[in-house]
Amino acid sequence: MTAIPGIAPLATSARAAATWQLAVHGGAGVVERGSLTLEMDAAYRASLNQALEAGARVLRGGGTSLDAVVAAVRVLEDDPLFNAGRGAGFTAEGRNELDASIMDGSTRKAGAVAGVTRTKNPVSLARAVMEKSAHVMLGGAGADAFSLQQGLEQVDPGYFRTEERWRHFLQWRDQRAVVPDRTHAYGTVGAVALDQAGHLAAATSTGGLTGKRWGRVGDSPIIGAGTYAEDKICAVSATGTGEFFIRSSAARQLRDRIAWHRESVQVAANNTIKDIGDLGGEGALVALDARGRVAFAMNSPGMYRGSVGASTAARSAIYADEK
Ligand code: ASP
């Protein structure tokens, strides 16, 4: 490129601009073209875009990746379309027990909650565990009590219930349909972000698998399984059959593939999902590397997902073949 005196070449000024990136997911399933009505397709995309915008607002303004992932996940928790917060799946006893986690890549501090029943936004409770307690993970009644003590917004457990999810529960109970809705078998939500200071963060929130029992805890609140973030390497959030993501240390495996095997973030994401598939698991994940490159990987044909960055407009996608 020939430089014109006094005018910086475009490429240079673009390089100098601070970079930031955000990617979100709203679960995965067998979503082939035509399996969603036009209205449902549009509703999912609108919600994903709203989550992207909430996080992007933080990052664009120079805010932290931690604030951005919380902002994005809260939007998806509040939306009844997704199996997190309002719209959570039901346990075998017909209750909602929510799991969430968060990790700060700059300090590798983390917080998580499992089986909470009254906190409107479990991701904020996970953050409170990280920032206001000496622990990483709290479960059940203790986590509910900590939430109250921290002054987080409480709701009646009926708040989480939606008719759609209740119908899935009845299907599960009456027909033993393990996955009552294939188009949205996994409705966990998550976000990964890189802020202008170069810090990474990840967060994940879920109602867990429909029909879970005995206090079952999935991968979403487990650091290294459903969530992981470490500056200079990557941030990861997963969705799918949690047991397999736990057994394969999915999020940490992805991180190790990048750090130890020098795999690119996309190759590491693909290989991690392949490992889960080899075990018999199903699902998807989103990962973001230290340079802001986003990788989505899935072995279920469809994932509710989206990304936005300093130099790329917000884009959401659902079907496996969408770019
Ligand atoms: N991974 C979640 C769990 O096993 C479920 C999901 O992704 O929807 O609890």
Side-chain angles (χ1 to χ4, degrees), residues 190-202:
V192 288
L194 171 72
D195 63 29
Q196 293 190 29
H199 298 309
L200 288 162

Side-chain angles (χ1 to χ4, degrees), residues 25-28 83-84 97 99 184-189 204-210 212 216-221 226 238-246 282-284:
H25 72 83
N83 172 14
E97 295 176 1
D99 302 339
H184 208 172
Y186 313 108
T188 292
V189 308
T204 309
S205 181
T206 190
L209 294 180
T210 297
K212 64 182 182 180
R216 179 264 188 191
V217 176
D219 60 318
S220 308
T239 176
T241 44
E243 282 69 10
F244 296 91
F245 284 74
I246 296 172
E282 186 185 28

Side-chain angles (χ1 to χ4, degrees), residues 243-262:
E243 282 69 10
F244 296 91
F245 284 74
I246 296 172
R247 287 166 55 197
S248 67
S249 303
R252 176 69 197 206
Q253 173 183 157
L254 199 159
R255 175 263 179 221
D256 291 348
R257 286 179 175 281
I258 296 175
W260 296 345
H261 297 299
R262 303 282 160 210

Side-chain angles (χ1 to χ4, degrees), residues 167-181:
R167 203 169 51 74
H168 292 165
F169 167 68
L170 296 180
Q171 258 172 284
W172 170 84
R173 195 190 60 185
D174 300 340
Q175 302 162 20
R176 293 286 146 181
V178 179
V179 175
D181 175 10

Side-chain angles (χ1 to χ4, degrees), residues 276-303:
I276 287 159
D278 289 346
L279 287 176
E282 186 185 28
L285 52 80
V286 58
L288 176 64
D289 75 6
R291 288 170 56 185
R293 287 175 296 206
V294 177
F296 293 104
M298 65 194 92
N299 69 359
S300 48
M303 178 188 192

